[in-house]
Amino acid sequence: MLQDLLIKLWFVLLILGVSLGPTTPLLAEEGKAAKEADRFPFPVKVDSEAGQTDGLPNRVQNPSSGMWYALVPAGTYTIGSDQIQDSKEIQVQLSPFYISETCVTHGQVRQELLTRLQMYPEGKEVEERLSLIHQLPAARQADFQLGNMMLNYYIYRRDWEDLNQLDPEIDREFAVTSKEVLEQLHAHENLSMEEQVKQFQFTSPQRKSFNKVKAAIIKCLQHAEKNGFPYQRATHRNAVTYAEWRGVALPTEAQWEVAARLSAAGKLHVDPLVRNHREYCSDFYAFDYFQRKKHFKDPTGPRRGKFSDEQLERETQVSSLKVITRIVALNAVVIRGESISKREYSLAHSNSNESRRIRLVINPN
């Protein structure tokens, strides 16, 4: 733990403690109508042969990720089931939304993660420091670029460890080199920003060590064996992170079920949502949420998770302390996929071996 804290500290010093900002917006496609660009979080490619519904194209693509989305028109839909203990047949009124025709693939995650690892944070202090860095010789600038990638790797490696898991020897080398650089930065922490930039420079062994880590990371993320297959080891945290990176969202529980029902009826052409895997929704899980009202408009779930007495007793057998289970339940999130209406939840400490995938939605303006 102490070593991890030291590593984090030197990286924070290096980039002045500014956390990563949002993605730089994609450039608008040439000739894209302004009103169309305003509807979506990014410029889209429209499938003109798919037609329109209520003025919205029925099928669009994010050219950057290659992912296609199908329109679910606005309307009042039936979801839920009176035959399921924590469910209830209700009516929901939904605004139009687009749901991804497929789940996020390994290749799409790897591509975005590699991009993120090489991005600088955003913020006024970073801009000031970058303006000073850009005045340095190219070789010196490369040290800062390399240090930035090592910072990003540190931030993301736990969430995406199955994609960028390094050889233990390289990982140990990364920790040792990071500690050395931390000690160097301690000697400069009282200097002005301009002096810090002038003074900072990797030694030849440090540069060699970090470049070895960089090469290993890139090799991992460019690995193509499973790139076309759905990413199946998602946690709720990295599902949300990936959606935010792309400027979209996870489906609400109501959106997911409506899409599943339309797909099962052949009215929505997407990969089946009900299959031998689970998909994350954006809602917290509360066993009584859909029993509170008869009608909902664009429901987004409860403010916090909540277990029934039976669920609480079952989960307490894992944690041993009911008070701990009550706290854990506050962050329980919805996962769906076993059947159209069956509700399930995922806990932060869950180590399930079942497939957990990421499906995305666009909520047009």
Side-chain angles (χ1 to χ4, degrees):
M1 289 296 294
L2 179 59
Q3 188 178 63
D4 272 358
L5 287 173
L6 289 173
I7 295 170
K8 186 172 185 178
L9 178 58
W10 89 255
F11 280 133
V12 169
L13 286 170
L14 178 61
I15 308 297
L16 293 176
V18 181
S19 59
L20 292 178
T23 309
T24 301
L26 297 171
L27 295 175
E29 288 184 346
E30 187 175 350
K32 182 65 64 180
K35 65 176 182 178
E36 193 169 274
D38 290 342
R39 292 172 175 170
F40 300 96
F42 41 73
V44 296
K45 176 181 178 181
V46 174
D47 181 356
S48 57
E49 295 183 0
Q52 293 189 354
T53 301
D54 297 330
L56 288 170
N58 287 330
R59 190 168 184 253
V60 298
Q61 184 191 44
N62 178 353
S64 176
S65 68
M67 180 168 278
W68 284 94
Y69 293 82
L71 175 67
V72 176
T76 299
Y77 299 93
T78 300
I79 65 169
S81 170
D82 293 336
Q83 308 305 312
I84 298 176
Q85 188 173 7
D86 60 350
S87 183
K88 180 182 179 181
E89 186 172 299
I90 59 171
Q91 300 290 306
V92 291
Q93 184 181 347
L94 297 183
S95 301
F97 67 95
Y98 289 85
I99 191 160
S100 60
E101 296 180 351
T102 58
C103 289
V104 175
T105 66
H106 274 266
Q108 287 164 337
V109 172
R110 292 174 194 271
Q111 173 196 20
E112 187 65 17
L113 184 53
L114 185 57
T115 298
R116 293 285 160 176
L117 288 176
Q118 298 178 83
M119 286 176 61
Y120 274 106
E122 293 182 353
K124 184 178 180 181
E125 286 185 300
V126 174
E127 289 177 6
E128 292 175 4
R129 175 161 290 219
L130 285 174
S131 69
L132 295 171
I133 292 171
H134 291 156
Q135 297 173 29
L136 298 173
R140 295 284 308 283
Q141 292 186 41
D143 277 354
F144 282 94
Q145 292 168 353
L146 181 59
N148 182 68
M149 185 170 184
M150 295 300 99
L151 164 65
N152 291 340
Y153 167 66
Y154 178 84
I155 291 171
Y156 294 133
R157 64 177 180 161
R158 300 302 183 198
D159 289 341
W160 306 96
E161 61 184 349
D162 60 306
L163 297 180
N164 60 13
Q165 196 166 24
L166 303 184
D167 180 280
E169 183 178 342
I170 295 178
D171 218 23
R172 283 192 295 270
E173 190 171 334
F174 170 73
V176 171
T177 304
S178 300
K179 188 176 180 181
E180 290 178 3
V181 176
L182 171 63
E183 293 171 354
Q184 292 172 209
L185 287 172
H186 271 316
H188 301 155
E189 60 185 334
N190 293 323
L191 300 177
S192 66
M193 181 188 297
E194 186 173 0
E195 285 300 314
Q196 286 180 18
V197 169
K198 287 180 179 179
Q199 296 283 344
F200 177 79
Q201 187 173 4
F202 289 141
T203 65
S204 181
Q206 289 167 350
R207 192 177 299 111
K208 182 178 179 181
S209 174
F210 278 156
N211 274 317
K212 186 187 296 185
V213 175
K214 176 181 177 180
I217 294 169
I218 292 174
K219 183 177 180 181
C220 285
L221 295 180
Q222 290 180 338
H223 183 64
E225 182 180 346
K226 296 182 178 180
N227 276 358
F229 291 90
Y231 179 58
Q232 306 202 63
R233 294 187 60 185
T235 65
H236 184 257
R237 178 172 173 172
N238 59 30
V240 170
T241 297
Y242 184 84
E244 289 177 346
W245 283 349
R246 284 298 178 187
V248 293
L250 301 180
T252 66
E253 187 173 10
Q255 287 176 330
W256 188 95
E257 184 165 335
V258 167
R261 287 174 177 268
L262 293 175
S263 174
K267 297 179 180 180
L268 183 69
H269 301 295
V270 299
D271 278 2
L273 287 85
V274 177
R275 196 179 270 182
N276 195 24
H277 69 265
R278 303 294 181 270
E279 300 178 9
Y280 285 104
C281 296
S282 61
D283 310 40
F284 286 115
Y285 170 88
F287 78 96
D288 60 350
Y289 180 66
F290 287 110
Q291 298 168 11
R292 300 177 188 178
K293 297 180 182 179
K294 292 184 178 180
H295 301 286
F296 288 85
K297 177 175 173 56
D298 292 324
T300 56
R303 292 184 178 181
R304 283 296 183 185
K306 181 182 179 183
F307 285 163
S308 66
D309 290 340
E310 179 184 341
Q311 290 167 335
L312 191 62
E313 289 295 332
R314 183 171 66 247
E315 293 297 336
T316 299
Q317 294 176 14
V318 178
S319 69
S320 301
L321 292 172
K322 187 168 288 189
V323 65
I324 298 296
T325 305
R326 289 187 187 278
I327 294 171
V328 168
L330 295 175
N331 292 309
V333 295
V334 174
I335 52 173
R336 300 292 295 266
E338 182 174 332
S339 67
I340 286 180
S341 294
K342 183 175 180 180
R343 306 181 68 223
E344 297 179 90
Y345 58 83
S346 176
L347 301 176
H349 67 260
S350 175
N351 291 317
S352 174
N353 291 321
E354 70 181 16
S355 172
R356 299 280 178 89
R357 301 184 185 181
I358 306 171
R359 196 179 292 264
L360 305 174
V361 297
I362 300 171
N363 297 297
N365 297 323

